[in-house]
């Protein structure tokens, strides 16, 4: 057995043993709060859900000081949420070692992000801030038989607060902290009729950067404005309507990229060439502008015979512009300026569900289109992906059959078909020309043409089968098999003859195949000792086929391609334990182990059999403590302390470019006071209290003895502050 896995199992066993002894020794003084999730498109108790899911309520997000999805990623076993490239709010989602580090319009994530019922298809702007959120759910493993867009590795559900048709209320939140942190969030709910209400939210989120570049800019700053509107109405006794508008505008200096010196023999990040993690050698004036507008509508009807019909549609526009220095050095060779990237998408989904004496079922059809383009100066080339079109359809169904009072079977199936089309052209800097001057670039010809086109399609049948057994009132077992599918795609960088391009390979604008995985899960959900100890354990095994990952095809221009160049295997344990020790005191532990490796690799791209998969730490856990105290005044104090650990992470599969991010530990705390009236609350908090040095992104390009570049994005250090909220 893997030593890390053995150690994790021992830690879980000792934790259960210790809490069992304590729970038996003490009289029942507390009971765990029920956790309700909608992971399976219905409201149900988390303890009876045969899916590996983590859920965070609004209060849990607040007490843990989780301000965006990156913060959330530090708390989630088997899940890595980091940044991709030099754009500050561009996301790289990984679950159980599967995802993508590449930020490009032709690359889809294996992890689907949903804002309520609406699919968020781009990585730009995907590191969502936590603003007026009801809860966030993270589902691990393939999610295709209940969701509109196929998700091979898992899904993140960002669930906002909805209008309340009965009560009007208003809230103001202020957050002031280190590095001039200054957040203002206003949310309100107004009943506007007998059966309708409007909810509105405005937030401005701001914080200075923490790494200074060579021209005095502070990189890594936060600057976002959020406007969210929702209208809900009961149209009749059996039908309802929800209309939503969500607008986010980001204006910042982008991510803090720092160039590094030689790695050690294992590829671990070395010392910064600037001499300090808070200094960058970049001399580029950095800028990151991103605007996202999502418009959505949802209609629900209660039909006859216990059936429900739901129709959901959304339209989204995502625009990104700015400049960033991809290598973090003073050289302009990898400066990316004048980015103009835009994606417009439309989706519509129809679901029908019902239930009988011994069956619950759901079926749906999902249609999605996306039109994207990407223009940028990158060193001595102009990249112009003037067209990337996607059209996708999914048909899915799932049912749960109660064989007996204790035993159920849940089969699900999905059909997916994706069609993609790309058009791209590049321009090269003429001899003696000036960087970033459009007049000094000429179109590069490929077979006599400036444009390179391609199109392809992929389809697959996937699904899942789960066996569920309730051995007692508070112990639930399940075993499941699922097939995940991520469609193939089209490479977006044309190559000249000197760089390996030819008519026979469409000058490098080739297609790559779909990626599939087979996942087996075995789990138990239990609440023991008068509902004071919750122990949820999942063991999984997954086999990855035709693994998609990107690699550099030309070190001069940084051109990258995606290929199906590897197979892999992953197994691990995921544990969530909560112990209510007394009425006031509780402890919780979330833990995950990942034993990942490449079982086959194409030597042409530098993969090595036996190496770890990207962003798959062998061990990750978060240990938390909550203490609530009732005061004589009628008010209360609440203390929350979290300690988390993440093992070292491999950032790139090719051995020659290998970059390993070191392990790190984080300590955070939150102390909140609420008066008897509960009209307001004040909190003192600290995150990364020990000022740990760790990284959210890294990249390296090496060719033989020549180091093209190595860089990494350090995370922000200690942050201390105060939060205040008032309800009126």
């Amino acid at each position: 057995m893997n030593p890390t896995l053995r150690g994790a199992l021992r830690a879980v066993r000792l934790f259960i043993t210790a809490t069992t002894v304590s729970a038996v020794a003490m009289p029942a003084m507390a009971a765990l709060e029920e956790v309700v999730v909608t992971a399976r498109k219905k409201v149900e108790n988390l303890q009876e859900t045969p899916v590996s899911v983590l859920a965070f309520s609004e209060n849990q997000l607040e007490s843990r000081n989780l301000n965006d999805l990156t913060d959330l990623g530090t708390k989630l076993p088997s899940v890595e949420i980091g940044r991709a490239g030099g754009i500050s709010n561009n996301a790289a989602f990984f679950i159980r070692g599967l995802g993508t580090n590449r930020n490009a319009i032709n690359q889809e994530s294996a992890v689907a992000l949903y804002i309520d019922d609406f699919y968020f298809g781009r990585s730009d702007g995907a590191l969502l801030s936590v603003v007026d959120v009801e809860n966030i759910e993270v589902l691990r493993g393939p999610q295709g038989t209940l969701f509109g867009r196929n998700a091979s590795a898992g899904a993140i559900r960002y669930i906002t607060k909805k209008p309340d048709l009965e009560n009007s209320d208003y809230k103001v939140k202020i957050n002031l902290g280190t590095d001039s942190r200054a957040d203002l969030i206003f949310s309100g709910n107004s009943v506007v009729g007998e059966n309708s209400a409007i909810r509105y939210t405005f937030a401005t989120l701001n914080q200075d950067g923490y790494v200074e570049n060579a021209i005095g800019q502070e990189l890594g700053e936060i600057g976002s404005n959020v406007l969210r509107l929702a209208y809900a109405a009961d149209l009749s006794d059996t039908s309802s309507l929800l209309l939503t508008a969500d607008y986010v505008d980001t204006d910042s200096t982008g991510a803090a990229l720092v160039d590094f010196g030689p790695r050690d023999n294992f590829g671990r990040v070395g010392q910064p060439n600037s001499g300090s993690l808070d200094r960058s050698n970049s001399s580029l004036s950095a800028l990151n502008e991103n605007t996202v507008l999502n418009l959505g509508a949802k209609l629900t009807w209660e039909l006859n015979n216990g059936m429900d019909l739901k129709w959901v549609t959304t339209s989204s526009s995502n625009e990104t512009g700015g400049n960033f220095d991809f290598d973090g050095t003073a050289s302009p060779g990898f400066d990316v300026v004048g980015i103009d990237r835009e994606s417009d998408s439309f989706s519509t989904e129809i679901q029908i569900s019902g239930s009988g004496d011994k069956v619950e079922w759901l079926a749906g059809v999902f249609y999605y289109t996306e039109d994207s383009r990407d223009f940028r100066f990158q060193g001595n080339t102009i990249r112009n992906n003037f067209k990337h079109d996607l059209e996708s359809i999914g048909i899915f169904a799932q049912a749960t059959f109660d064989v007996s009072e204790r035993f159920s079977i849940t089969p699900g199936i999905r059909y997916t078909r994706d069609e993609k089309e790309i058009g791209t052209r590049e321009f090269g800097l003429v001899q003696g020309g000036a960087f970033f001057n459009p007049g000094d670039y000429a179109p590069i010809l490929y077979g006599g043409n400036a444009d390179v086109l391609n199109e392809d399609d992929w389809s697959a049948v996937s699904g899942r089968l789960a066996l569920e057994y309730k051995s007692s009132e508070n112990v639930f077992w399940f075993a499941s098999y699922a097939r995940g599918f991520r469609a193939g795609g089209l490479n977006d960088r044309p190559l000249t003859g000197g760089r390996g391009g030819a008519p026979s390979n469409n000058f490098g604008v080739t297609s790559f195949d779909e990626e599939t995985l087979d996942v087996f899960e075995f789990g138990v959900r239990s609440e023991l000792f008068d509902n004071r100890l919750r122990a949820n354990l999942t063991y999984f095994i997954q086999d990855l086929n035709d693994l998609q990952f990107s690699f550099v095809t030309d070190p001069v221009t940084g051109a990258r391609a995606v290929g199906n160049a590897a197979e892999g295997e992953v197994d691990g344990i995921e544990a969530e334990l909560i112990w209510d020790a007394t009425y006031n005191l509780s402890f919780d532990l979330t833990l995950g182990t990942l034993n990942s490796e490449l079982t086959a690799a194409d030597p042409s791209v530098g993969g090595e059999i036996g190496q770890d998969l990207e962003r798959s730490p062998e061990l990750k856990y978060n240990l938390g403590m909550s203490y609530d105290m009732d005061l004589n005044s009628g008010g209360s104090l609440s203390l929350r302390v979290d300690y988390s650990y993440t093992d070292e992470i491999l950032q790139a599969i090719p051995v020659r470019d290998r970059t390993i991010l070191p392990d790190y530990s984080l300590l955070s705390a939150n102390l909140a006071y609420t008066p008897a009236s509960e009209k307001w609350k004040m909190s003192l908090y600290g995150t990364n209290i020990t000022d740990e040095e760790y990284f959210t992104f890294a990249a390296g390009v090496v060719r033989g003895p020549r180091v093209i570049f190595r860089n990494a994005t350090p995370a922000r250090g200690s942050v201390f502050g105060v939060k205040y909220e008032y309800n009126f």
Side-chain angles (χ1 to χ4, degrees), residues 673-683 724-727:
Y673 169 74
T674 305
S677 66
E678 298 185 351
K679 292 286 291 183
W680 58 274
K681 181 170 71 173
M682 179 174 287
S683 304
Y724 176 82
E725 66 178 61
Y726 184 79
N727 300 286

Side-chain angles (χ1 to χ4, degrees), residues 101-256:
N101 278 313
R102 190 163 187 242
N103 162 24
I105 60 174
N106 72 319
Q107 184 74 60
E108 292 186 64
S109 176
V111 180
L113 173 63
Y114 285 88
I115 301 177
D116 298 317
D117 291 303
F118 309 136
Y119 173 66
F120 193 101
R122 288 288 98 207
S123 61
D124 291 338
L127 292 176
L128 303 174
S129 299
V130 177
V131 175
D132 205 29
V133 170
E134 185 73 30
N135 63 300
I136 295 177
E137 298 175 0
V138 180
L139 291 69
R140 296 171 291 202
Q143 308 295 328
T145 58
L146 290 173
F147 287 87
R149 187 71 172 133
N150 193 43
S152 57
I156 299 172
R157 302 192 66 217
Y158 179 100
I159 302 170
T160 63
K161 288 189 174 181
K162 305 301 185 298
D164 183 343
L165 275 58
E166 298 181 357
N167 302 295
S168 296
D169 63 80
Y170 311 92
K171 179 183 291 187
V172 172
K173 290 184 176 181
I174 299 172
N175 182 359
L176 303 175
T178 304
D179 296 333
S180 301
R181 179 94 200 200
D183 298 346
L184 173 64
I185 303 173
F186 171 78
S187 59
N189 187 90
S190 298
V191 177
V192 295
E194 184 177 353
N195 298 304
S196 61
I198 297 176
R199 186 168 190 87
Y200 33 89
T201 303
F202 170 75
T204 178
L205 312 173
N206 305 277
Q207 191 172 23
D208 290 345
Y210 56 96
V211 173
E212 184 177 334
N213 67 11
I215 60 173
Q217 272 190 313
E218 291 186 343
L219 306 177
E221 71 179 16
I222 296 171
S224 293
N225 296 316
V226 179
L227 177 63
R228 185 178 298 146
L229 301 172
Y231 170 79
D234 286 340
L235 303 180
S236 69
D237 291 340
T238 59
S239 63
S240 62
L241 170 69
L242 175 67
L243 301 176
T244 60
D246 193 351
Y247 176 78
V248 180
D249 175 62
T250 299
D251 188 351
S252 74
T253 54

Side-chain angles (χ1 to χ4, degrees), residues 60 142 343 435 474:
Q60 290 173 326
S343 291
F435 278 106
N474 295 315

Side-chain angles (χ1 to χ4, degrees), residues 11-89:
V12 172
R13 185 166 59 250
L14 289 173
F15 185 91
I16 293 176
T17 301
T19 54
T20 299
V21 172
S22 299
V24 171
M26 297 179 62
M29 300 176 61
L32 293 166
E33 182 180 350
E34 180 183 20
V35 178
V36 174
V37 297
T38 57
R40 294 200 296 170
K41 293 298 184 76
K42 63 179 180 179
V43 178
E44 60 184 339
N45 188 335
L46 174 65
Q47 297 306 107
E48 299 179 2
T49 305
V51 178
S52 183
V53 56
L54 284 169
F56 291 84
S57 67
E58 178 188 24
N59 288 336
Q60 290 173 326
L61 294 166
E62 183 75 20
S63 65
R64 290 162 172 79
N65 301 300
L66 304 178
N67 296 307
D68 60 27
L69 293 186
T70 307
D71 294 336
L72 182 67
T74 64
K75 310 295 183 184
L76 299 174
S78 305
V79 179
E80 285 297 307
I81 301 177
R83 305 189 186 279
I87 299 177
S88 60
N89 61 354

Side-chain angles (χ1 to χ4, degrees), residues 154-394:
I156 299 172
R157 302 192 66 217
Y158 179 100
I159 302 170
T160 63
K161 288 189 174 181
K162 305 301 185 298
D164 183 343
L165 275 58
E166 298 181 357
N167 302 295
S168 296
D169 63 80
Y170 311 92
K171 179 183 291 187
V172 172
K173 290 184 176 181
I174 299 172
N175 182 359
L176 303 175
T178 304
D179 296 333
S180 301
R181 179 94 200 200
D183 298 346
L184 173 64
I185 303 173
F186 171 78
S187 59
N189 187 90
S190 298
V191 177
V192 295
E194 184 177 353
N195 298 304
S196 61
I198 297 176
R199 186 168 190 87
Y200 33 89
T201 303
F202 170 75
T204 178
L205 312 173
N206 305 277
Q207 191 172 23
D208 290 345
Y210 56 96
V211 173
E212 184 177 334
N213 67 11
I215 60 173
Q217 272 190 313
E218 291 186 343
L219 306 177
E221 71 179 16
I222 296 171
S224 293
N225 296 316
V226 179
L227 177 63
R228 185 178 298 146
L229 301 172
Y231 170 79
D234 286 340
L235 303 180
S236 69
D237 291 340
T238 59
S239 63
S240 62
L241 170 69
L242 175 67
L243 301 176
T244 60
D246 193 351
Y247 176 78
V248 180
D249 175 62
T250 299
D251 188 351
S252 74
T253 54
L257 283 170
V258 177
D259 66 312
F260 281 80
R263 306 166 297 178
D264 67 14
N265 292 333
F266 298 98
R268 294 184 181 90
V269 170
Q271 296 298 313
N273 288 325
S274 64
S276 173
L277 283 180
D278 59 9
R279 296 280 300 176
S280 171
N281 286 324
S282 173
S283 57
L284 177 70
S285 179
L287 175 65
N288 176 205
E289 297 176 327
N290 176 242
T291 59
V292 179
L293 175 62
N294 297 316
L295 303 174
K298 180 169 75 171
L299 279 167
T300 57
W301 294 271
E302 295 179 11
L303 306 177
N304 296 327
N305 302 318
M307 293 191 298
D308 294 317
L309 181 67
K310 180 172 71 174
W311 172 68
V312 177
T313 189
T314 182
S315 175
S316 178
S317 175
N318 192 329
E319 299 181 9
T320 295
N323 314 319
F324 70 90
D325 185 350
F326 188 66
D327 63 1
T329 71
S331 170
F334 283 91
D335 287 357
V336 181
V337 303
I339 299 173
D340 182 8
R341 183 160 60 202
E342 181 177 353
S343 291
D344 297 312
S345 64
F346 168 82
S347 71
T348 190
E349 180 177 353
I350 297 176
Q351 289 185 10
I352 186 168
S353 60
S355 61
D357 290 339
K358 294 186 177 182
V359 62
E360 292 185 1
W361 57 271
L362 179 147
V365 177
F366 174 77
Y367 177 76
Y368 179 78
T369 64
E370 183 181 271
D371 301 326
S372 305
R373 62 181 182 84
D374 186 344
F375 176 93
R376 63 177 68 187
F377 289 91
Q378 183 161 331
N380 59 4
T381 62
I382 293 177
R383 293 175 52 187
N384 185 7
N385 294 320
F386 58 87
K387 176 173 64 175
H388 186 273
D389 298 340
L390 163 65
E391 184 176 32
S392 177
I393 187 169

Side-chain angles (χ1 to χ4, degrees), residues 451-524:
D451 298 345
V452 185
L453 309 174
N454 203 353
E455 60 183 62
D456 208 338
D457 61 79
W458 303 262
S459 61
V461 175
S462 55
R464 65 180 277 112
L465 176 65
L467 307 178
E468 306 156 25
Y469 179 68
K470 196 167 185 178
S471 60
S472 68
E473 182 65 25
N474 295 315
V475 180
F476 175 84
W477 303 82
F478 73 92
S480 67
Y481 162 76
R483 162 63 67 95
F485 163 79
R486 174 162 54 161
L490 301 165
N491 280 306
D492 62 343
R493 295 300 305 273
L495 302 174
T496 61
R499 292 159 50 202
S504 59
N505 67 357
N506 199 39
F507 300 98
V509 183
T510 56
S511 61
F512 50 92
D513 294 334
E514 65 270 14
E515 177 182 83
T516 61
L517 69 156
D518 297 294
V519 183
F520 296 89
E521 290 186 354
F522 309 90
V524 59

